[in-house]
Amino acid sequence: MRAAVDACRGLRLLRQEPWECLASFICSSTKQIVQIRQIVRELAGAFGEPVAAPADRGPLHAFPGPAALASAGEAALRACRLGFRAPYLLDAAERVVDGRLDLEAVGRMPTVEAREALMSVDGVGPKVADCVLLFAYGRQDAFPIDVWVRRALAELYFPKARRLRPERLARFSTVHFGPYGGYAQQYLFHHIRLRAGRVGPTPTARVTPTGGSEDGR
DNA sequence: CTCCAGGTTATAC
DNA sequence: GTATAACATGGA
């Protein structure tokens, strides 16, 4: 993996606030990263509290809390280009508001339980749950397998395989990469996207999952 | 126009 | 158990 490592020195894993992370990744399914960032910005602009911003930037808004989104209603969420993900995000917000999902308690659970708790939300499957575990809760063994990581694994580790079941890749990732698999996942992600020309070859290595909560220009 | 995008779910063999 | 379509929206 030397090529990937060389092209990405200084890579870090984020520790995002759990709700923002969960909500952002719920918005992420079958969306391009640039569009996910757009959705997050729209949600912040529509429902988030203003925060202090430099004069040369546009108005900044914090990512809206679960209560703000729960009371927004599905139609208002759809207006932020969420499409079929709107009811998913709404379900997540309502669960957090009424306590069925306690994001603080999730942080104290063993990883397997935490994963199940996250996946109780409609629209949260294995990949999104693993992203939240890795990017919000710091579970460095979490190994989110998205379309890019799947390609990287298939190409680098199973070049002969005709068809790779998700469960097969999941099992391989845990036994092969172990407790710091999350870092390996990030390098694989960056490597395969770099090679595909989807990201510039800058060595800044700022691999951001969804973009954060800024609403500026 | 067709295909794909940091997936998940419902439905049918 | 496994396979496939549908889900909104926008960009390539």
Side-chain angles (χ1 to χ4, degrees):
Chain A
M1 223 191 301
R2 165 152 303 277
V5 172
D6 283 349
C8 199
R9 290 189 192 283
L11 177 145
R12 299 290 186 276
L13 283 168
L14 296 185
R15 289 296 296 271
Q16 273 193 309
E17 193 283 317
W19 164 248
E20 176 174 345
C21 187
L22 173 63
S24 299
F25 276 105
I26 286 173
C27 301
S28 76
S29 61
T30 54
K31 273 291 179 191
Q32 297 186 131
I33 292 174
V34 58
Q35 294 181 5
I36 299 165
R37 295 170 60 103
Q38 168 73 11
I39 290 171
V40 169
R41 270 197 302 274
E42 292 220 29
L43 289 171
F47 308 113
E49 296 294 326
V51 297
D56 61 332
R57 291 193 72 181
L60 297 184
H61 294 264
F63 189 80
L69 294 186
S71 61
E74 185 179 320
L77 295 184
R78 280 186 187 272
C80 296
R81 308 163 198 277
L82 274 140
F84 62 85
R85 305 159 195 79
Y88 295 159
L89 184 57
L90 194 57
D91 180 57
E94 289 171 348
R95 281 174 180 270
V96 172
V97 167
D98 68 25
R100 279 174 296 164
L101 179 62
D102 183 342
L103 291 177
E104 207 165 302
V106 168
R108 297 188 294 267
M109 295 176 186
T111 299
V112 175
E113 280 180 40
R115 196 168 186 263
E116 283 181 16
L118 292 168
M119 287 176 62
S120 71
V121 178
D122 205 13
V124 177
K127 189 271 178 182
V128 169
D130 285 339
C131 282
V132 177
L133 290 174
L134 182 60
F135 299 129
Y137 292 109
R139 308 297 172 96
Q140 299 177 351
D141 56 326
F143 194 96
I145 300 178
D146 58 46
V147 56
W148 293 102
V149 173
R150 179 165 57 249
R151 283 175 192 158
L153 290 175
E155 182 180 312
L156 297 172
Y157 298 97
F158 301 94
K160 300 294 179 185
R162 172 157 8 121
R163 192 169 61 88
L164 288 166
R165 299 167 146 84
E167 187 48 47
R168 173 92 193 276
L169 291 179
R171 194 168 45 80
F172 170 80
S173 68
T174 59
V175 303
H176 187 73
F177 296 111
Y180 297 101
Y183 279 102
Q185 187 269 6
Q186 286 293 277
Y187 281 113
L188 288 168
F189 179 80
H190 188 261
H191 164 70
I192 198 71
R193 282 178 62 85
L194 194 65
R195 205 175 54 67
R198 297 304 297 262
V199 61
T202 63
T204 53
R206 187 164 168 273
V207 181
T208 65
T210 58
S213 58
E214 77 273 23
D215 176 41
R217 286 283 74 87

